[in-house]
Amino acid sequence: MKEPDDQDTDEGKSDRSNSDRRQSHSSRSPSRTSMKEDHQSIDNTTGEAFTEGEESYIEDDESYMERLEGSSSSFQDDYAESLGESRYMETPAPDAEEAEEEVKKKISESFFYDYMELVSMPFVTPDSNIPLDLLTLVHSFGYDCRKRANLQLLESNTVMYIAGNQLIFLNLKTKEQTYLRSSSGIGIGVIGVHPNKTYFTVAEKGVFPKIIIYEYPSMRPYRILQDGTDLAYAYVDFNFDGTLLASVGGSPDHTLTIWNWKEEKPLLRTKAFSQEVFKVTFNPEDDEQLTTSGSGHIKFWEMALTFTGLKLQGSLGRFGKTATTDIEGYMELPDGKVLSGSEWGNMLLWEGGHIKVELSRAAGKPCHQGPINQIMLDEGEVITIGSDGCVRIWDFETIDTADVIDETGLLEIEPINELQVDKNVKLFSMIKMNEVGNNFWLAQDSNGAIWKLDLSFSNITQDPECLFSFHSGAIEALAVSPVTYLMATTGLDCSIRFYDFAGKTPLLQMKFKQGGTALAWVPRLISYGGAQITAGFEDGVVRILELYDPKGLTVFVGRKKVSEADIRLKQVFKPHTAAITALAYDRDGEVLATGSKDKTVFFFEVERDYKPIGYITTPGPVCQLTWSSSSHPESTLLIICENGYVLEAPFPAIKEEEEDHDVVSYEIKDMCLKYFHFTSVKSKILRLIEIERRKKQKELKEKEKQERRKRLETEMGEDVEWELQEEDEEEEEEEEPLPEIFVPSTPCHILCGFYSEPGKFWISLGGYDSGFLYHCEFPSDDKSSDNTVRKDEPFDFRLLEDTEDNPITTITFSINQEMMFCGMQNGAIRVYILSKNDSSLTSMEDYWHFNMHDNNYGRVNAISTSFDDRFLVTAGADSNIFVFNIFSEFELKKVVKAKVPSPRFGIETEPIPEDIEDPKAYSIENARRKREHDKLMKEVEEIKAGKRERIKALRNQLQKLLQMNEELPKHMQFKRTDFDLDSKIRAEIGRKTANKIQRVEKELAWEKEKHQLGLKKLQNRFRDSLENDIIVVHAIQSDHKISSYRLVKPSKYSKTKRASQSERRPSKFERFEKEGTGRKDSQRDTGGSISVPEESVIEKGKKFRPKTLSEIMVENQIEKTRKLILKAERAQMKIQQRKKEWEELYKSKPDDDYEDPKDVQAIKEAQLFMGDFNLKTAADYKIPEHMRINAAKKEEELGYLDSMAYSKKMHMNKSIVSLRDLKVAVIEEIQCLVQELKNIQSTLPVFKHLPIPQVPQIYPEEVPEKRFQYDDETLLAFKQQQVKSQVEKAHQVGQTALAGSAGGFLRLSSGKERDLTTRDSLSRASKASAFSLDLPKFTEFEKADPTDVELEIMKREEIKHVYMQQYLIRRIKELIVTFDAELRLLRHQKLKLDTQMKLSDLHHVTLFQEMLLLKNFEKQENILQERVNSLDKEEQDMQWKINETLKEMEEKKNEVAKLQDQEKALYSGFQTALGENNKFANFLMKVLKKRIKRVKKKEVEGDVDEEEESEESSEEESSLESDEDESGSEDEVFDDSICPTNCDMGLFELALQLREKRLDIEEALVEEKKMIDNLKKEHDTLSKKVKIVATNLNAAEEALEAYQREKQQRLNELLVVIPLKLHQIEYVLFGEIPSDLSGALVFSNRSLGRLQERIVQLHEENSKQQKLNKECRERRKQLIREKREMAKTIQKMEETVSQLMISKFGRVINLEALQTLSVNTTLEELKIKKLRKELSNVKEMKMWEEKIAQVRWELMMKTKEHTKKLHQMNDLCIEKQQLDSRLNTLQNQQGNAFQGPRKADTEARARVTELIQVQAERIQALKEEIALLRKKGGLLLPPIHHPQENMKSQGL
């Protein structure tokens, strides 16, 4: 979309700006005359720079000064009015033609403005004695970290940033600050720096603000640009060479302007966009292209030359399918494309006004988690920073060539490097520091910090360094020490920070979970040293903090650097449920009052550790608390609420007695409060002011009228009255109506206030009522009036100038009450000078006013003076903290510094109280209410439990009736339905229940599926990756415990292998390994593995299962039989094993020429590895090929380490789980043994009982898997917890909801208790029902005296039970001791394994660092390795070709030899055919040897005949050809075409035929020799190439070796952690460990001694080997002799054994058969059967004895029940007697009082009589039932009903 240039043709705007400048100039001129020469915001050097610059300007441009002197004198008088004309030196032209012809003159390069004329000054009331430097800025502790581009770098160590109306220059090394004031006094919008760092721009805020360009480092104003925007600038940017400046304005105009800033001329101007514009930048490659971005848009601009002139044409970026986003960061690419960020973190590549491609990371992950705030191009790499705190580096080529590959429009790329700065970091902008050789950057963190980042991404890269830390966001509260120059601030960024504002030093900070909202320094009456501070937070928590100097603590050994100050938490409590807004100590320091937004004020007794006194409720949220001063007769608290209410509370009564636990709430309901409800009177005040103004005006007019009357009387005479009457009528008609009375419907907020006198106070309001201070007084009729509808008005007011829309937000006074310091809404500071003891503020007229904080959002939230009125500190909502020096005539010039309080004695040993971190924690009031509610609910639950018990009893009774019904005959039994009162009721209830259940299931189906999917996702995310959770097994008797390892699935290094390892060229060592077994594998197979010794804990868990005594006895008998059988089997197996061993021994007998393979392998390894090896740190160290390492091998090593650690931990976890299972088994067995022990003790006398051991318990942490097991009760409890959280959220609204929330939570807790009570009652009821239902009833028989036999049996049983009791107790102790022993053993093993795992972790860190380093070297190493591989492959190929050529040459030589043999055979055959003495032999031989020309046939497309001349044969062709040379003289007369006469024709033809064959052979020989020559040439060529390739290969290998050496050196530089004890360090100097251990070597003593002894050992080994060889030979001879002797001995022993057998058995027997004799299994089985039968009989007898005991118990319960009923009858009788006596008394009294019976008395008497009759009938019925129950064998009848009930039933 193209937009035309919106040129500024509005001349009125410039006129208006000129008039404003004239007014500002005239208003500042008197203040400048009285200002001191030594200004504090610019140091002396700056002033000197101004002077020098002016002098140079005068000297260098004398001609320019001459022209200035020739100009009009109005240049000096009206500088601001004619500034433009004088600078440009344009003379006024008489007409337009002369103006066109006039040549405009440029501004001189050496021209500078006067800073003192531009800078804004404080406003002072005219004709007052207030000095301009009443307040002087000393230091700034804040930083507006959320302001865009608020961090600029000027030099390598100087940065600048905006702080309200100040521009601060900060030296990073010295941390000194220099200040530059804004010229408008309304604030600074944005700053920028020239590319050459010689200028910087300050774009201000205000009406038609200026852009001032300062020269650096002199900081003199160089150029001023005007009329660029309406209210404020949003961004400025220079082009690449710094000749142009682009600016964009903020709301409402958003004007884009291109400036020729050196000439102060706007070149182009247009409206950038209709919404907020964030940024504007030039294209570094093309100054004619610009880009702007902002809210929901990006726009591309181009300077185009049209027929009307140069224009700015804008093209709006089209998002297309991509969602519209705010664009904060972008970057122009060299080819015109633009790369921008997005709100969701992806990068957008723009081309031609459209999105070409959207860039994201792999798997759809965004490039950043959140918006991308800045994109830069640095050294060919793209750098992005995001709100996620990450800096990522991307490949420029990949981004520049990116294109769409599918319909999604996404392209996935990965960053080259990335840096996570820190947690809770939100990077906003970043600038590069100009340090040679380093890649350091400064980063602006919008969470309140300035970071220094190292983006070199090497192994020596420095960690991110936080240079400065500040508050993020508004500063909510400030407190100053009453003793020294210490200050504390807090804000919603969850931090409290302490400063030494006199020493200009931040001391420390402390972080919390919630933001701070209020601060109060504890008075000296409480903490004399001023060491304590009270802080309030937004969750309602109050924390008492104690500040101290840690240098005063006891010095501990090993302490390193000690900070200047430290802080600790002293006390914490939560009085409120909402944010705390005010904290106040009374004047005597006895009571602390806290106010909150929850409309309560809480009082605490300070002396008793802040014991709660109580709280009161207020009509609105509390905004300020102020105690009356010591001048007031009584101590009262002024409570100011936001909604217009002001309360006065008396000093609360402090109770001396202890806390009353019966009190339900802390609320103080009897406190006498005074109320004041402010009603707006501003309209009345304005009306009165208007009336007064009109009255004065009327008086002036009347006076003028009288004077004119006198004048006219003298002039006109009689016509005076008529003219004056007409004028009076006109004046009466022109008079306007008075302003109407207006009261806003919504009360304006009270901002601050303070006491004036007892019962009187001043308040400042915002909104409509701003502009005044109102003096109010509490009315006297507080008790009778309704506080909610009352309307009170102030009785006095003070008008505040220029505060109509800028109210006072905070007020403080100096110590002598002569100065009132006010913080304003727009960030200004106002100081009123007062008279002494002027509580009515009658002298509040003269004031000093200065804008310091940001005028738009820099509201002053806190202002305070130091303890000696020397300093003033302000804190604003713009994150800035300013410290001022208050003007004093007696000011001391010495440097002051705060003194941190010394620590209290024993502070380091005091325990730190537990902090309240949960924002949903109960407040003090809610905790008390919860306690009372829990108590009440507990009582209710007890009542419910009693009701349930009664219901259970009734159910049991019904079950008994049903059982009795079943015992009756079939024809007498009732049906089950007969017991129902109404069957329809049960059916209807069941149907309704089923419908409800079905409906609820349908309603919750979607929720059920949703939560199931959520649960599955949570399991996949957190549980599936977890192999083992932590299990803690506790010992039973001791405090020992053992915990398992928390294991996750193995890491990627143990599963993946990189492909680069297989691509590497195999080394010589690897080739050797292919031929034989390698050294590393042999070492790994023989002794490389380390394993933890396995324990039998897993199997022991199966042994300890619960067993009864009978089972133990039977198993013992079975075990004996099994052992006998097993003994025989073992003997047989032993014999067979012995035979097998003999066979294997004979088989393993080596041959005479046998050689040990280990010796052979050792020889090979020694030949390969033994030699002279250097250390890895040596300069000439050459890395063997088998020891070369790369990232892939290191990953394998890392994976192997992880797998080893994982396996060890897994094995230990299995052992611990088995130990846990063993404990469970032990507990089960102990439970069985304890139950058996109880059964035994039930039969023994009490005095023989031994203490029963306590059954161990299973702790929850021993079975963590049960945490993931849930049932209906668990789900119900979770639902109740959700309901509770919802109620707690709802109760934040008000006090009523608060109580409901607490009740909801209490109901939840009581519900849990109810469930527990229900389960207990169910268990008791189930036991009772079991006794009542399962036990049959027996008829009791009379007991007989036991006989002697029975007594003997009983005595034996008693002895047996005593023994079993002791045995069981010993068994229990044995189980416990055994388990504890197993745990201790496993614990010791785990401690050793923990040590190994720690060492493994350290080794893991080292390996990981090595792997990262190797990855950095991997790319170049792969290049070198590929070159070596290619050259090696090329060499091998050439060598193969050479070998093939040699083979081919050998074959060709063989062919030549064969052809030569054929030729020899041809000649010899022909010689044989000729025979001897043939006279034509010579002729025929010549015919055979003659050379002739032959016709050759070449196979092409056609046959072509060619004549060839025969070549001369060489000496090597044939030995027979030499004969042809001898007869060469006869060739001339020789004719071979004709056969001579008498010559045999057959021989002639044979000669011709053989000649053809000879010629064929010769041609073949020639061809073969040609091929041999060619092969020789090829061989020579290849040999030369092989030499060249070998040379290149050696060079490449040397380069690779050098790179490997460099890599090894870098690996050597890595730090390896080795834990050592002090006795292991022997590198000492003068008995002490040196500070520098770089020259030390970590080595084991054993290895060191072994190396030292190695030289001697090598000499000894030779002699030993020789001796050993000699001894082995002698040993061999000795063994042969011993063998013969042993054979003789064996023979003798065999004879001795035979004789012994004959003497013992009478014959020679088989000993093996004798050893394998077995036992009689049938007999043993019968014994076991008999034992089992006896045990079953004993068990049955015990069962019958238990039944007898149960029947006796039932009899006892019935007796107790009858006794209870007798007591009830007795109580009823007593009650009847009391009622009778009371009735008689009432009758007597009524008779005396009244005469005659009344109807009401008669009816009451009848009711009482009827009640007595009914009770008598019930008593009689109970007596009859008791009598019936006393009879033995009596039947139980149905209960007796009331007679009236019987009558009703009969009537029905």
Side-chain angles (χ1 to χ4, degrees), residues 304-455:
L305 186 62
T306 64
F307 64 93
T308 59
L310 193 64
K311 298 286 186 180
L312 262 180
Q313 296 180 346
S315 175
L316 188 65
R318 305 290 184 183
F319 286 93
K321 297 181 180 179
T322 307
T324 304
T325 175
D326 295 346
I327 295 179
E328 184 73 45
Y330 65 86
M331 178 191 69
E332 298 91 349
L333 302 183
D335 57 353
K337 295 195 290 290
V338 175
L339 180 67
S340 74
S342 62
E343 290 181 273
W344 56 85
N346 281 349
M347 290 187 287
L348 308 177
L349 185 62
W350 299 82
E351 185 176 19
H354 296 80
I355 296 178
K356 181 180 180 183
V357 65
E358 181 177 353
L359 304 176
S360 67
R361 299 181 69 182
K365 293 195 301 181
C367 300
H368 285 271
Q369 297 294 331
I372 297 177
N373 293 326
Q374 190 174 0
I375 304 177
M376 297 161 290
L377 181 63
D378 182 66
E379 297 179 359
E381 296 176 337
V382 178
I383 304 175
T384 61
I385 66 171
S387 297
D388 55 355
C390 288
V391 180
R392 291 192 168 93
I393 313 298
W394 311 83
D395 183 38
F396 171 74
E397 295 295 333
T398 305
I399 294 176
D400 190 33
T401 59
D403 204 350
V404 180
I405 57 176
D406 53 16
E407 296 179 356
T408 60
L410 285 173
L411 179 64
E412 295 181 351
I413 61 175
E414 284 297 319
I416 302 174
N417 288 300
E418 63 178 333
L419 174 66
Q420 176 72 42
V421 178
D422 202 356
K423 295 180 180 179
N424 300 324
V425 170
K426 187 177 180 182
L427 297 179
F428 200 34
S429 67
M430 198 163 66
I431 51 176
K432 188 173 183 179
M433 301 180 69
N434 300 324
E435 292 190 12
V436 180
N438 294 321
N439 193 12
F440 291 143
W441 296 69
L442 290 177
Q444 174 185 348
D445 179 8
S446 58
N447 280 341
I450 297 177
W451 292 85
K452 182 179 180 182
L453 309 179
D454 184 2
L455 301 185

Side-chain angles (χ1 to χ4, degrees), residues 599-666:
K599 301 180 182 180
T600 60
V601 176
F602 223 109
F603 299 96
F604 296 88
E605 188 178 356
V606 178
E607 292 183 356
R608 301 174 66 180
D609 292 334
Y610 293 90
K611 177 185 176 183
I613 299 174
Y615 73 94
I616 59 174
T617 58
T618 60
V622 179
C623 66
Q624 184 178 347
L625 297 177
T626 304
W627 287 93
S628 60
S629 62
S630 58
S631 61
H632 291 213
E634 296 180 358
S635 180
T636 57
L637 178 64
L638 184 67
I639 305 170
I640 301 176
C641 302
E642 290 182 1
N643 58 351
Y645 282 92
V646 181
L647 287 74
E648 186 180 49
F651 190 84
I654 301 175
K655 298 179 181 180
E656 296 295 335
E657 62 271 10
E658 296 294 328
E659 183 180 0
D660 189 0
H661 293 280
D662 297 332
V663 178
V664 178
S665 174
Y666 281 106

Side-chain angles (χ1 to χ4, degrees), residues 1049-1244:
K1049 291 183 178 178
S1051 62
K1052 63 178 182 178
Y1053 302 110
S1054 58
K1055 295 182 179 180
T1056 59
K1057 279 190 177 181
R1058 295 175 50 161
S1060 61
Q1061 184 185 2
S1062 60
E1063 297 174 359
R1064 187 176 58 83
R1065 179 175 67 99
S1067 62
K1068 297 177 181 179
F1069 178 69
E1070 290 172 351
R1071 294 171 188 169
F1072 173 74
E1073 282 183 339
K1074 292 180 181 178
E1075 299 173 1
T1077 305
R1079 181 183 182 188
K1080 289 186 177 180
D1081 293 337
S1082 63
Q1083 288 180 351
R1084 186 174 297 175
D1085 294 339
T1086 55
S1089 61
I1090 303 173
S1091 61
V1092 180
E1094 298 184 358
E1095 296 293 332
S1096 59
V1097 181
I1098 301 175
E1099 299 177 356
K1100 290 182 180 179
K1102 301 177 182 179
K1103 298 180 182 180
F1104 295 90
R1105 297 300 179 193
K1107 299 174 184 178
T1108 60
L1109 182 61
S1110 59
E1111 291 177 350
I1112 293 173
M1113 295 175 66
V1114 173
E1115 288 183 358
N1116 289 339
Q1117 187 65 28
I1118 295 173
E1119 185 68 20
K1120 290 179 181 178
T1121 306
R1122 189 183 64 80
K1123 285 181 179 179
L1124 293 174
I1125 298 173
L1126 188 60
K1127 185 177 180 181
E1129 292 177 354
R1130 284 178 179 173
Q1132 189 173 2
M1133 290 174 63
K1134 190 175 182 181
I1135 294 169
Q1136 294 177 357
Q1137 184 70 20
R1138 192 182 298 119
K1139 290 181 179 179
K1140 189 176 181 181
E1141 289 177 357
W1142 277 108
E1143 291 176 359
E1144 292 178 355
L1145 183 62
Y1146 283 118
K1147 288 180 181 178
S1148 63
K1149 183 179 180 181
D1151 298 334
D1152 295 336
D1153 57 349
Y1154 171 77
E1155 291 184 359
D1156 192 352
K1158 293 184 179 179
D1159 296 339
V1160 176
Q1161 182 64 27
I1163 293 170
K1164 288 184 179 179
E1165 291 181 359
Q1167 292 174 351
L1168 182 62
F1169 297 109
M1170 291 186 68
D1172 184 16
F1173 298 102
N1174 294 326
L1175 291 175
K1176 292 182 179 180
T1177 55
D1180 57 345
Y1181 175 69
K1182 183 177 181 180
I1183 304 174
E1185 291 188 3
H1186 67 278
M1187 292 181 66
R1188 291 180 181 177
I1189 196 71
N1190 56 9
K1193 282 187 176 182
K1194 192 59 67 175
E1195 280 189 7
E1196 287 186 6
E1197 190 175 354
L1198 193 61
Y1200 178 73
L1201 179 65
D1202 287 344
S1203 61
M1204 287 294 296
Y1206 177 81
S1207 61
K1208 292 176 186 296
K1209 291 181 179 179
M1210 197 70 182
H1211 176 74
M1212 179 55 67
N1213 285 351
K1214 288 181 180 179
S1215 302
I1216 293 174
V1217 171
S1218 302
L1219 186 66
R1220 191 270 311 271
D1221 296 340
L1222 175 62
K1223 183 176 181 180
V1224 173
V1226 167
I1227 291 175
E1228 290 178 358
E1229 185 173 358
I1230 290 175
Q1231 288 175 347
C1232 295
L1233 294 176
V1234 167
Q1235 184 63 35
E1236 199 165 347
L1237 188 59
K1238 289 180 180 179
N1239 295 336
I1240 291 173
Q1241 288 185 352
S1242 63
T1243 60
L1244 290 174

Side-chain angles (χ1 to χ4, degrees), residues 1032-1051:
V1032 182
V1033 182
H1034 295 262
I1036 297 176
Q1037 286 184 336
S1038 62
D1039 295 334
H1040 294 164
K1041 59 183 178 181
I1042 183 172
S1043 60
S1044 63
Y1045 295 101
R1046 189 176 188 270
L1047 281 182
V1048 295
K1049 291 183 178 178
S1051 62

Side-chain angles (χ1 to χ4, degrees), residues 739-985:
E740 297 181 357
I741 301 299
F742 172 76
V743 177
S745 57
T746 303
C748 298
H749 285 188
I750 301 179
L751 300 178
C752 61
F754 55 92
Y755 265 119
S756 60
E757 298 176 5
K760 299 180 182 180
F761 55 91
W762 291 93
I763 55 174
S764 172
L765 285 87
Y768 173 76
D769 291 316
S770 62
F772 297 90
L773 274 182
Y774 300 97
H775 202 182
C776 308
E777 183 178 8
F778 290 105
S780 59
D781 56 346
D782 284 345
K783 295 183 179 179
S784 59
S785 61
D786 187 2
N787 297 323
T788 59
V789 297
R790 67 183 304 156
K791 295 181 180 180
D792 302 316
E793 294 183 357
F795 68 90
D796 195 6
F797 65 90
R798 292 290 178 271
L799 176 64
L800 305 175
E801 295 182 5
D802 298 331
T803 59
E804 183 69 23
D805 297 324
N806 182 28
I808 296 175
T809 57
T810 178
I811 297 175
T812 188
F813 290 89
S814 60
I815 297 176
N816 55 11
Q817 303 289 317
E818 292 183 357
M819 284 190 289
M820 184 174 75
F821 301 95
C822 306
M824 313 300 288
Q825 178 76 34
N826 66 346
I829 301 171
R830 181 173 291 190
V831 184
Y832 284 95
I833 307 301
L834 306 177
S835 301
K836 289 186 178 181
N837 301 324
D838 185 11
S839 60
S840 299
L841 304 182
T842 55
S843 61
M844 194 180 76
E845 295 180 358
D846 299 338
Y847 66 91
W848 181 92
H849 184 94
F850 201 20
N851 290 331
M852 287 301 300
H853 294 269
D854 191 275
N855 292 61
N856 295 336
Y857 54 89
R859 161 180 168 159
V860 179
N861 288 331
I863 186 169
S864 180
T865 60
S866 61
F867 71 99
D868 56 355
D869 274 355
R870 184 171 180 178
F871 296 96
L872 177 72
V873 185
T874 65
D878 57 353
S879 305
N880 285 315
I881 305 169
F882 294 120
V883 181
F884 300 91
N885 194 354
I886 302 175
F887 175 81
S888 175
E889 297 179 356
F890 306 101
E891 181 180 359
L892 299 177
K893 297 298 182 181
K894 65 178 182 179
V895 179
V896 293
K897 187 177 181 182
K899 181 181 182 301
V900 181
S902 301
R904 291 183 291 105
F905 177 74
I907 189 174
E908 63 272 15
T909 60
E910 291 181 1
I912 298 176
E914 184 179 358
D915 199 0
I916 302 174
E917 297 182 353
D918 186 8
K920 298 180 181 179
Y922 284 110
S923 64
I924 297 174
E925 174 65 15
N926 288 349
R928 169 165 280 199
R929 291 187 178 184
K930 179 182 180 300
R931 184 187 66 191
E932 296 299 328
H933 192 276
D934 288 345
K935 182 179 178 181
L936 179 61
M937 294 305 297
K938 185 176 181 181
E939 295 176 356
V940 173
E941 289 300 326
E942 290 177 355
I943 296 173
K944 289 182 179 180
K947 296 286 186 182
R948 292 190 186 100
E949 290 295 334
R950 292 178 62 185
I951 293 173
K952 296 295 184 296
L954 292 174
R955 287 179 179 172
N956 293 337
Q957 190 175 0
L958 178 61
Q959 293 295 333
K960 291 178 183 178
L961 293 175
L962 293 175
Q963 186 177 2
M964 290 172 60
N965 185 47
E966 291 178 358
E967 292 176 357
L968 293 174
K970 290 291 184 181
H971 64 282
M972 295 180 64
Q973 290 182 0
F974 290 97
K975 297 181 179 179
R976 182 64 181 84
T977 56
D978 294 340
F979 290 91
D980 297 336
L981 297 177
D982 190 351
S983 59
K984 295 181 180 179
I985 296 175

